[in-house]
Amino acid sequence: MLTSVNRETVDLSSYPDLVVVYLGMRVNRLYGLRTLMARGPRIDPSDKPEGLLAHEPLLWSLFPMHLGIRQYWRDLPTLLAWARSEPHRLWWRDFLRDSGGTGFWHETYLLRGGMEAVYDDIPQRRGFAAFAPVHPARGAMFGSAARVGRPQDDVAPVVTEDDLYAPGTGH
């Protein structure tokens, strides 16, 4: 029996500065399961931060455990403001000090053009890193706003490049 397809599309004209971000947290070591369960839930969409239009959980894989999120933001400045606010700022700072046996990555896509990504302790090349040259996230490539080509939208980082790569930090 044939069934007809209900094919629909969307009108994004009311969202000219739309930003879509994919995030993933992957367990790299057994003790990373504990880290994932403790840190993962801190990204709470029920707070409904300014500019967040939608939040969707994703399962990238069961083994290794790899959870993710897709978020839709009104614009880049609201996404960056949220990323630098509490409790997300503290989560990010703590992760950059110790990944706890996990890896984290994100890829950001802007409707008006521009894409960027960062991969922290991700052993397998995925997303853009599966086909594009990979470089250290340093200098002009350190902050997401600069990577996406919008340095004017940058805000103070959670952890500065100097602090992250200071002697004795293991980086």
Side-chain angles (χ1 to χ4, degrees), residues 22-156:
Y22 283 82
L23 306 105
M25 193 167 187
R26 179 188 189 276
V27 172
N28 292 332
R29 292 172 193 81
L30 189 57
Y31 67 92
L33 280 170
R34 183 175 53 91
T35 302
L36 178 66
M37 293 302 120
R39 288 189 180 166
R42 288 190 190 174
I43 299 176
D44 185 1
S46 65
D47 294 339
K48 192 70 169 153
E50 171 69 22
L52 179 62
L53 303 172
H55 173 98
E56 302 169 345
L58 300 168
L59 172 64
W60 297 109
S61 69
L62 288 173
F63 186 80
M65 179 62 75
H66 191 164
L67 302 178
I69 298 169
R70 178 175 46 218
Q71 293 181 330
Y72 300 87
W73 289 83
R74 183 181 64 228
D75 53 39
L76 186 61
T78 57
L79 168 57
L80 292 174
W82 174 79
R84 302 304 190 264
S85 68
E86 307 304 335
H88 187 267
R89 185 188 70 78
L90 296 174
W91 180 94
W92 191 234
R93 183 203 64 197
D94 292 347
F95 177 85
L96 289 174
R97 289 180 178 163
D98 178 8
S99 67
T102 66
F104 181 84
W105 62 272
H106 78 247
E107 293 183 350
T108 308
Y109 311 87
L110 283 72
L111 183 62
R112 287 194 185 214
M115 295 180 251
E116 67 85 25
V118 72
Y119 308 92
D120 296 311
D121 287 345
I122 297 294
Q124 294 176 311
R125 299 285 192 222
R126 62 180 310 107
F128 299 142
F131 60 87
V134 176
H135 301 281
R138 297 191 120 169
M141 298 297 277
F142 187 73
S144 58
R147 286 192 303 267
V148 81
R150 304 270 302 266
Q152 70 276 13
D153 289 328
D154 209 359
V155 293

